[in-house]
Structure formats: C-alpha cells, structure tokens
C-alpha cells in the first residue's frame, strides 16, 4: 500500500511560480508512474501531467505544456510539479497519483489527499 502526501500549495499572484511535492511511502516508488491531476470547484478532475517510473518519459496536458514541469527523485521517493507563469485558471486542488501504467489514459492505484493552489489576478 502506497501513501502519497502532497505539499507546496498556497496562494500566489498570476505569473508566479510554485513547486509541488509528492512524497511516497509504504511501497516501491520505482514500480510506479506518477501523475498530477487537478480539480477546480464545480469541474471534473483534469489530467495535468505524468512521468514514467524512470523519469525518462513525460506527458502534459495542452493547458500546462511549456509552463509546468513534472519530475521525480527516486532516491527520495518524491515527485514534483514545477509550475511557472501561473494563471487564475490554474486555481484548483492538485492531486498526485501513482500507478503501474504510463500514458495520458493510465489508471492509477493510489492517490494523495490534495493540496490547494489559488492564483489571484
């Protein structure tokens, strides 16, 4: 059983940067691809990015491509989402997830509790 804990959320102004972390415990981190999702109030959960277990493969939603960077440090059992040039429409609860599949339609076995990002204009 893998536990995921996100951190790094907060309130920022448009144009700012934030880095989210996702700390994993209780399992073999390198077995899993890691993804980030977000959910804004009144909207469905949205895929943001995914990284393969090795870190060599990444894939992004068009809405964040060029602004967000997903990465991982397997030695620290931690994944990251660097978010630059934040926009008000990026406001959401951000979740990390882990699963054995890689790809934009991958299924995920484990989810974190989420961290709030609020971007003011």
């Amino acid at each position: 059983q893998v536990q995921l804990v996100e951190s790094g959320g907060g309130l920022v102004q448009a144009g700012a940067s934030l880095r989210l972390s996702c700390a994993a415990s209780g399992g073999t981190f390198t077995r899993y691809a890691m993804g980030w999702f977000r959910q804004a109030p009144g909207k469905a959960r949205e895929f943001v990015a995914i990284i393969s277990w090795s870190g060599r493969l990444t894939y992004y939603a068009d809405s964040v491509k060029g602004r967000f960077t997903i990465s991982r440090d397997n030695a620290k059992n931690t994944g990251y989402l660097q978010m630059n040039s934040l926009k008000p429409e990026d406001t959401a609860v951000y979740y990390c997830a882990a699963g054995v599949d890689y790809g934009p339609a991958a299924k995920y076995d484990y989810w974190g509790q989420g961290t709030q990002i609020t971007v003011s204009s």
Side-chain angles (χ1 to χ4, degrees):
Q1 188 79 5
V2 176
Q3 292 81 44
L4 303 174
V5 179
E6 303 96 336
S7 61
L11 171 63
V12 297
Q13 290 189 330
S17 297
L18 276 177
R19 189 176 79 158
L20 302 183
S21 298
C22 176
S25 61
T28 304
F29 188 57
T30 53
R31 287 189 60 194
Y32 302 100
M34 192 192 71
W36 287 94
F37 289 77
R38 64 187 182 186
Q39 188 166 20
K43 295 188 177 182
R45 187 173 62 196
E46 175 189 20
F47 167 80
V48 174
I50 186 173
I51 188 167
S52 63
W53 70 269
S54 66
R56 289 197 292 266
L57 300 176
T58 58
Y59 185 87
Y60 297 90
D62 288 342
S63 58
V64 306
K65 200 174 296 182
R67 299 189 298 123
F68 291 11
T69 302
I70 190 171
S71 62
R72 64 191 295 163
D73 185 337
N74 287 340
K76 296 182 178 180
N77 287 350
T78 302
Y80 304 97
L81 185 67
Q82 177 68 42
M83 304 183 293
N84 298 331
S85 302
L86 283 162
K87 304 174 182 179
E89 51 264 45
D90 294 319
T91 294
V93 177
Y94 282 71
Y95 300 89
C96 67
V100 296
D101 296 330
Y102 171 79
K107 297 181 180 180
Y108 294 85
D109 302 300
Y110 305 103
W111 292 83
Q113 83 289 347
T115 186
Q116 176 72 46
I117 303 294
T118 303
V119 184
S120 63
S121 58

